Amino acid sequence: MATIDQAEGELFRKARDVLGFTQQQLARESGVDQSSISRLERGDFNGIRAGRLNAIRKVLKLPLPSLGLEPKALTLACCQNPRCISHVAIESDALYLLPHFVKVKTGSTAYCRYCPSALEQTCACGESLVDAVRCPHCRACYIHVIDEFKQKPNWARQHNEDAHRMLEQKRLLEAVDTEPVYEVVGNDDRADHATENRNNNDEGVGIETITRLTGRPR
């Protein structure tokens, strides 16, 4: 029984035959060497980059899924750690946590940006996640609120305030990392710094260069 790679290699060969190309002609049209094309047609994809496969695909007019290069579908995922600061606490008839949902490649392993937990892509019942507190299929909450939280008055409000503050700090730190550490203060800004010195000295004291710390030193 042929493997998937062998089946795809056979597809390459058949597409080439239909267009009337020899391997040498296909190599000339695609810019991929003939030995690589020969390997592909035998089902040997090891070491052959996606760019070369795309070049051959374009010449042979093969759709992307035919080469097994179809981009992975995206699915919703969330952290199910009840202590994670990314969640929004909701207190109504009971205490709930609304997860922070992100999109990840289906079947891949991804981790929360705010805590060490792995992101879950399905509910405990096996259904895909939706942007909600509860699963629409089994009606279970995506995040189980621990009893410690339920017993603390005003826990939901405090959690949201703490989470907002920590997320804002994280956002600012990430922004600082992309900004220059120092900047030159303009002449208009320097005037205020020199006013006191001018009052103490009739001739005034000039300030050659002033820098302002705008980020964390590296």
Side-chain angles (χ1 to χ4, degrees):
M1 183 176 180
T3 65
I4 294 176
D5 285 349
Q6 289 172 336
E8 291 181 352
E10 182 66 14
L11 181 61
F12 274 123
R13 187 191 63 77
K14 289 181 178 179
R16 178 175 60 78
D17 288 343
V18 168
L19 294 176
F21 286 137
T22 64
Q23 287 186 351
Q24 290 80 4
Q25 289 172 327
L26 178 57
R28 186 165 56 250
E29 292 292 328
S30 65
V32 179
D33 59 278
Q34 187 267 334
S35 61
S36 294
I37 292 173
S38 177
R39 286 173 49 206
L40 288 175
E41 293 187 359
R42 296 196 304 270
D44 182 4
F45 287 74
N46 293 328
I48 300 179
R49 295 182 178 178
R52 291 190 168 192
L53 293 174
N54 280 332
I56 298 172
R57 173 182 60 83
K58 289 178 181 178
V59 174
L60 297 179
K61 298 180 174 57
L62 288 174
L64 188 62
S66 299
L67 299 181
L69 296 176
E70 184 178 8
K72 291 185 178 179
L74 296 179
T75 187
L76 283 181
C78 72
C79 168
Q80 295 184 359
N81 172 12
R83 298 184 182 274
C84 182
I85 64 170
S86 65
H87 307 317
V88 176
I90 302 171
E91 195 164 18
S92 55
D93 58 320
L95 182 60
Y96 304 98
L97 287 172
L98 174 64
H100 172 66
F101 293 95
V102 296
K103 289 185 178 181
V104 300
K105 290 182 178 179
T106 303
S108 64
T109 301
Y111 293 89
C112 180
R113 293 180 59 192
Y114 307 101
C115 76
S117 304
L119 298 181
E120 298 291 340
Q121 299 181 23
T122 59
C123 175
C125 69
E127 295 290 340
S128 299
L129 303 181
V130 298
D131 192 351
V133 172
R134 291 178 177 273
C135 172
H137 301 279
C138 69
R139 302 304 298 166
C141 289
Y142 287 131
I143 302 174
H144 174 65
V145 181
I146 57 182
D147 290 337
E148 174 190 342
F149 297 164
K150 297 177 183 177
Q151 296 166 1
K152 291 183 178 180
N154 300 321
W155 179 86
R157 177 182 58 78
Q158 189 62 50
H159 167 82
N160 289 340
E161 290 177 357
D162 292 344
H164 178 77
R165 184 174 63 255
M166 294 179 71
L167 292 173
E168 182 66 13
Q169 290 174 352
K170 182 179 178 65
R171 185 190 67 79
L172 289 174
L173 289 175
E174 290 175 345
V176 163
D177 285 338
T178 63
E179 295 176 356
V181 175
Y182 293 98
E183 67 179 2
V184 176
V185 178
N187 291 331
D188 292 341
D189 296 322
R190 288 185 295 184
D192 293 336
H193 291 276
T195 299
E196 183 178 350
N197 289 331
R198 289 198 192 96
N199 292 335
N200 296 330
N201 187 330
D202 292 339
E203 296 179 0
V205 178
I207 300 177
E208 297 297 329
T209 303
I210 296 178
T211 58
R212 178 188 298 131
L213 182 64
T214 62
R216 292 181 300 174
R218 290 171 173 78

